[in-house]
Amino acid sequence: MKERSESGITVKKSENFMEWYLQVLSKSNFMDYTDVSGCIVFKPAAYGAWQTIMNATDAEFKKAGIENVYFPLLIPEKLLKKEQEHMEGFAPEVAWVTQSGETKFQERLAIRPTSEAIMYASYSKWVRSWRDLPIRHNQWNNALRWEFKHPTPFLRSREFLWNEGHSVFATEKEANAERDVILGIYMKILREYLALPVILGIKSDKEKFAGAVATYSTEHVMPDGWAIQGPDFHSDGQNFAKAFDIKFLDKEGNIQHAWQNTYAITTRELGVMVATHSDDKGLVLPPRLAYIQVVIVPILKKENAKLVDDYARKVQKQLGGEFRVRMDDREGYSPGYKFNDWELRGIPVRIEIGQKEVEAEKVVLVRRDTGEKTECKLADAKSKVEKLLSDIHENMYAKAEKFLKANIHAVSDYAEFKKVLSEKGGMIHAPWCGSRECEESIKEQTGAKITNIPFDEGKLAEKCIYCGKKAKHMANFAKSY
Ligand SMILES: [Zn+2]
C-alpha cells in the first residue's frame, strides 16, 4: 500500500514560500504544467473553483443589468495602435499571429491581451444617439500576455481566464456610479467565496491601467509579505471614446464623446486563494469553491466490508443531494493513505466510517482547516455538515483577515519605512505628497511601489515620508508580484 512520504509536501510554508506554493499546486492535483511556459492546465479542482467564481459573479452582474457578449480573440494591429498609451502599455507583452500555413498576413493580428481595441471599434459603429446608451457588456474569456518575467502558475500566467467588463455611458456621472456597484460585487465574491480580505483603494497615476483616467484596485498581502493585486476597476473617462471615435448625439442635439469603464477579476485569484489558505499538509479549499466538499472514507476490514460499505453509501445518499460528496472506494489504498491524500487535496470535510460508527449509527467528521475531529448521529449529519462548512469558511476568512491586518505597518519616517519593509515586509502605510518623483525614488531605493491609496486612509500625517513636503495621502507601499 502506498504511504504518505512519496507524495506529501516536503517544504514548510514559513521556510520557503515559493517552493511550498509550487509543490502544493502540483501535488494536490490542482494544476499541471505544459510544454508552453506560462500556460498551465487547470485540473478539476482549479477549474471547478473558477466555474463557481464565474457563476456567482455572473449572477451578480446580471442583477446589475450587465449583458454577456463575445468578441474575437484576434485584434488587428491598426486597432491596437489607436490609443497610444494603451498600445505602449501592452506592446512588450503582445503575442502576434503573422501567417496562416506559409502565407504571411499583410497585417499582423494580436492575440488579445485585453479587448478594448476590438470592442471599441464596434462600439463606434453602434453608438449614434443617447438612445443607444448605456452599453454594459461583459465577456468571460482568456487573454494572453507574454510577460518577460519568470511565469508563476496563476499569479503570473501568460494565458489567464477572466471577466472583461466594458461599459459606455452618456454622462460622467452615470459612469462613475458604476464603480461602487462593480467593486461591491468583487468584494462580495472575495469575501463569500474565496474567503479573502483585501485593501480597497485607488492606484497612483504611475500605477494605473494603460489608457485609464483612474484605476481602483483590491490588494492582497501574500504569505511571504509581498503584495499582489486583485480585481480592479478602471474609469477610462473619454480617453478611449476619443481614440476610437465613440460619439453620440445627446438630448440637446450636441455631439459628445461617451464615458467608459472597464473591470476584471482573473484566475490569479485562485493562486492567491491557494497561497493564503493552504498549509504544510497541502491545499485548503474554501468550502463554497471546493469541487468536492465532503469525502467519505469507509474503513473496511475483510469481515465487515459489506456492512461498512452499505452504511457508507447510505451516508453518501443522505448528504449527496445537499453537498458535493465523493465516496473514496478506491481499492489497494489504506485508509491512512486516503486521509492524507484528501488532506493534501484540501477537501473541507472528511467523514470516516468504521464498524464502530455503523453500530452506533454515527459518523466521524474531520475538518480540514483545523484537523478537529467530531462525531454526530447519522440523523444529524446533514445539518452538522452544513454548519461545519459554514464554520470552516468563516474561520478561514478570519485567519486571513488577521494576517492581513497584522501585515499593514504604519510608519512615520523614512528610516523606519526601510527597516520595517526589509525586516517584516507587508504593506507600509505612509504619508505621501502625491509627486511621482517621490514615488519613483522610493521604488528605486527600496523596491516598494504604491499598491494603492486605501479608501479608508486613516488620519493624514503632515509630511511626505520621503521629501518632507506637505502630505496629500496616506498610501500603502509594498514589494509586489
Ligand atoms: Zn514627497
Side-chain angles (χ1 to χ4, degrees):
M1 284 189 190
K2 290 185 187 177
E3 289 308 331
R4 185 194 187 102
S5 54
E6 301 168 28
S7 52
I9 310 293
T10 58
V11 288
K12 287 198 155 66
K13 187 175 185 177
S14 58
E15 284 169 7
N16 185 345
F17 167 69
M18 192 40 72
E19 173 58 22
W20 166 87
Y21 172 71
L22 297 175
Q23 281 199 19
V24 169
L25 288 178
S26 298
K27 293 188 171 183
S28 71
N29 217 19
F30 199 68
M31 54 76 64
D32 199 4
Y33 299 96
T34 66
D35 284 344
V36 187
S37 165
C39 299
I40 55 170
V41 182
F42 291 54
K43 289 191 166 182
Y47 198 73
W50 180 242
Q51 267 193 313
T52 305
I53 293 169
M54 272 198 289
N55 293 341
T57 310
D58 201 64
E60 295 291 333
F61 284 168
K62 291 214 161 69
K63 269 194 258 170
I66 296 155
E67 298 175 305
N68 285 338
V69 290
Y70 187 79
F71 278 74
L73 169 71
L74 300 175
I75 305 175
E77 185 168 16
K78 67 170 184 296
L79 293 184
L80 208 57
K81 279 180 168 167
K82 277 196 167 180
E83 213 290 333
Q84 202 190 346
E85 239 183 89
H86 185 65
M87 177 61 190
E88 282 167 8
F90 283 103
E93 303 173 359
V94 173
W96 296 97
V97 179
T98 57
Q99 64 190 64
S100 72
E102 294 306 315
T103 313
K104 293 250 186 243
F105 292 161
Q106 284 194 317
E107 183 187 19
R108 303 192 288 177
L109 299 168
I111 298 175
R112 70 173 156 243
T114 175
S115 300
E116 279 79 356
I118 189 120
M119 294 177 82
Y120 300 174
S122 295
Y123 290 170
S124 88
K125 287 188 290 183
W126 300 344
V127 176
R128 286 284 172 268
S129 127
W130 61 272
R131 291 181 196 87
D132 302 324
L133 297 174
I135 293 174
R136 298 179 72 204
H137 284 167
N138 174 58
Q139 310 196 56
W140 291 101
N141 64 24
N142 55 347
L144 194 70
R145 296 183 189 170
W146 214 259
E147 310 222 24
F148 291 131
K149 287 184 196 169
H150 185 65
T152 309
F154 300 108
L155 304 180
R156 278 194 163 280
S157 289
R158 287 177 173 152
E159 184 187 8
F160 56 89
L161 311 182
W162 65 344
N163 99 275
E164 253 192 284
H166 295 264
S167 15
V168 192
F169 293 97
T171 66
E172 183 178 18
K173 198 177 157 201
E174 282 173 275
N176 288 345
E178 191 182 44
R179 185 193 79 188
D180 290 348
V181 175
I182 300 299
L183 289 174
I185 291 171
Y186 287 148
M187 296 292 282
K188 183 175 173 181
I189 299 298
L190 294 176
R191 170 73 180 83
E192 293 181 7
Y193 289 85
L194 292 107
L196 289 175
V198 283
I199 300 165
L200 184 60
I202 182 168
K203 287 269 184 201
S204 67
D205 229 38
K206 176 176 164 7
E207 299 292 341
K208 73 183 182 192
F209 179 69
V213 171
T215 290
Y216 302 87
S217 70
T218 57
E219 303 284 341
H220 304 277
V221 177
M222 294 287 271
D224 60 353
W226 285 50
I228 192 162
Q229 196 200 299
D232 56 10
F233 180 92
H234 313 290
S235 292
D236 294 330
Q238 295 175 306
N239 286 352
F240 286 98
K242 283 174 183 163
F244 286 90
D245 204 30
I246 307 174
K247 284 185 300 200
F248 66 97
L249 206 58
D250 68 16
K251 285 180 184 173
E252 282 73 44
N254 305 309
I255 291 186
Q256 287 207 36
H257 283 108
W259 298 81
Q260 293 184 270
N261 298 321
T262 54
Y263 47 92
I265 182 171
T266 80
T267 42
R268 169 186 279 186
E269 290 308 296
L270 295 178
V272 179
M273 171 187 93
V274 169
T276 300
H277 300 307
S278 303
D279 61 21
D280 291 340
K281 287 181 183 170
L283 196 64
V284 180
L285 288 168
R288 286 172 202 137
L289 292 185
Y291 73 124
I292 301 169
Q293 295 173 307
V294 180
V295 63
I296 300 171
V297 182
I299 304 162
L300 308 176
K301 294 193 176 111
K302 248 187 210 145
E303 61 276 16
N304 67 11
K306 181 159 181 353
L307 179 79
V308 173
D309 187 70
D310 284 351
Y311 182 79
R313 289 190 194 280
K314 198 167 128 188
V315 176
Q316 181 188 20
K317 209 172 164 196
Q318 187 166 325
L319 298 175
E322 296 285 318
F323 314 105
R324 296 186 283 276
V325 179
R326 172 78 55 92
M327 166 78 81
D328 188 353
D329 53 8
R330 288 178 290 174
E331 285 178 26
Y333 294 94
S334 71
Y337 174 89
K338 291 180 180 179
F339 298 166
N340 290 337
D341 189 37
W342 294 111
E343 260 174 11
L344 183 60
R345 293 174 188 232
I347 305 313
V349 175
R350 180 174 80 234
I351 293 184
E352 302 175 4
I353 294 167
Q355 174 92 26
K356 214 175 97 200
E357 283 71 46
V358 179
E359 282 166 6
E361 285 254 322
K362 282 184 172 177
V363 293
V364 168
L365 304 145
V366 186
R367 55 191 278 186
R368 173 62 182 89
D369 61 332
T370 62
E372 192 193 345
K373 224 177 209 193
T374 50
E375 55 170 40
C376 75
K377 283 276 178 199
L378 176 59
D380 303 329
K382 204 186 274 184
S383 60
K384 178 79 183 171
V385 168
E386 192 174 2
K387 170 88 169 50
L388 209 48
L389 291 175
S390 156
D391 287 353
I392 293 170
H393 178 89
E394 289 309 318
N395 179 51
M396 288 171 74
Y397 182 82
K399 222 170 129 188
E401 193 182 37
K402 195 174 157 200
F403 176 84
L404 177 64
K405 283 185 175 158
N407 280 280
I408 303 170
H409 310 289
V411 300
S412 48
D413 67 57
Y414 193 49
E416 194 190 359
F417 182 112
K418 287 190 282 194
K419 187 166 183 283
V420 174
L421 183 72
S422 73
E423 285 174 9
K424 294 182 180 165
M427 298 269 186
I428 311 294
H429 189 60
W432 171 53
C433 64
S435 86
R436 189 177 282 224
E437 291 82 63
C438 286
E439 187 181 4
E440 279 171 354
S441 301
I442 291 171
K443 172 95 193 273
E444 249 168 56
Q445 291 170 14
T446 69
K449 68 175 192 182
I450 294 179
T451 56
N452 68 20
I453 299 155
F455 283 166
D456 186 7
E457 273 186 62
K459 194 175 175 298
L460 183 64
E462 271 178 28
K463 291 176 183 169
C464 172
I465 193 89
Y466 189 77
C467 68
K469 289 182 191 152
K470 193 172 164 26
K472 258 193 198 148
H473 295 291
M474 297 298 289
N476 283 339
F477 295 82
K479 288 186 183 171
S480 205
Y481 277 89

